[in-house]
Amino acid sequence: MFIQTEATPNPATLKFLPGASVAQEGVWDLRSPDEAGVSPLAQALFSIEGVSGVFLGSDFISVTKSEGDWQNLKPAILGAIMEHFLSGRPVLADGASASGQTSAEQFAPEDAETVEAIKDLLETRVRPAVAGDGGDIVFRGFKDGVVYLQMKGACSGCPSSTATLKRGIQNLICHFLPQVKSVEEV
């Protein structure tokens, strides 16, 4: 088994591509060993000292470190990923549901058409690019011309996430939807 690794814009996060499906439904942003119970793979990764976050995408795993050097952490992470996939065990535990990973969206009913247009732009133009960097972006709300988004995976806590939000995503959404005034992270 060959596992590719890619750097992300977040120096504390590396992206691992096992060449196999990872999360079949949705994405999973696990920020502590307590949250890792939904995934045997995440549990194995959190058992490595220095791992502070695991993000499971459709075909990739982003691992965030709290301490240590990638030169020392990377072999242990690669070993845990390889061992997991070669064992044939599922990535997600039985009964794991992506619904536990979602939060309620907040917007007024009269803004439903604008919200659908925002979600369409996010899904078709933003999420693929963000996934390429090992993360995800989720719509959380729209009020008074402000779009509220949540950054996940490698994008959460990334030094360039503010620039991505303001210069990239905000400019894109405002270009197509003049009723949007700004984009904020929640």
Side-chain angles (χ1 to χ4, degrees):
M1 175 176 209
F2 178 72
I3 302 169
Q4 292 179 298
T5 60
E6 293 180 359
T8 71
N10 185 344
T13 303
L14 272 181
K15 181 178 173 183
F16 296 84
L17 299 131
S21 179
V22 178
Q24 304 272 336
E25 269 186 45
V27 295
W28 293 81
D29 190 17
L30 308 167
R31 292 284 157 198
S32 73
D34 293 339
E35 294 177 3
V38 298
S39 169
L41 173 57
Q43 288 175 329
L45 292 169
F46 273 110
S47 72
I48 299 168
E49 190 172 335
V51 171
S52 63
V54 175
F55 182 83
L56 305 173
S58 61
D59 63 349
F60 67 91
I61 303 137
S62 292
V63 178
T64 302
K65 67 180 181 86
S66 59
E67 59 187 57
D69 184 1
W70 281 120
Q71 187 174 343
N72 297 325
L73 286 169
K74 190 172 162 182
I77 293 168
L78 286 167
I81 293 171
M82 185 174 295
E83 183 179 313
H84 177 83
F85 279 97
L86 292 177
S87 76
R89 290 179 296 176
V91 172
L92 297 171
D94 287 339
S97 168
S99 64
Q101 287 282 295
T102 59
S103 297
E105 298 173 348
Q106 298 181 354
F107 60 91
E110 60 269 16
D111 291 328
E113 191 175 313
T114 299
V115 168
E116 281 308 308
I118 292 166
K119 287 180 178 182
D120 183 59
L121 286 170
L122 291 173
E123 194 63 37
T124 59
R125 298 189 182 223
V126 177
R127 287 184 90 202
V130 173
D133 285 340
D136 194 26
I137 190 161
V138 181
F139 174 83
R140 289 295 179 225
F142 178 69
K143 183 177 181 182
D144 299 328
V146 180
V147 176
Y148 297 94
L149 303 174
Q150 181 181 13
M151 307 291 270
K152 293 185 168 200
C155 299
S156 178
C158 176
S160 62
S161 67
T162 301
T164 299
L165 268 177
K166 293 298 182 184
R167 289 191 215 119
I169 298 167
Q170 179 173 293
N171 287 347
L172 173 81
I173 293 175
C174 290
H175 173 76
F176 286 101
L177 302 167
Q179 63 270 42
V180 173
K181 306 295 181 237
S182 71
V183 173
E184 300 293 332
E185 185 175 4
V186 291

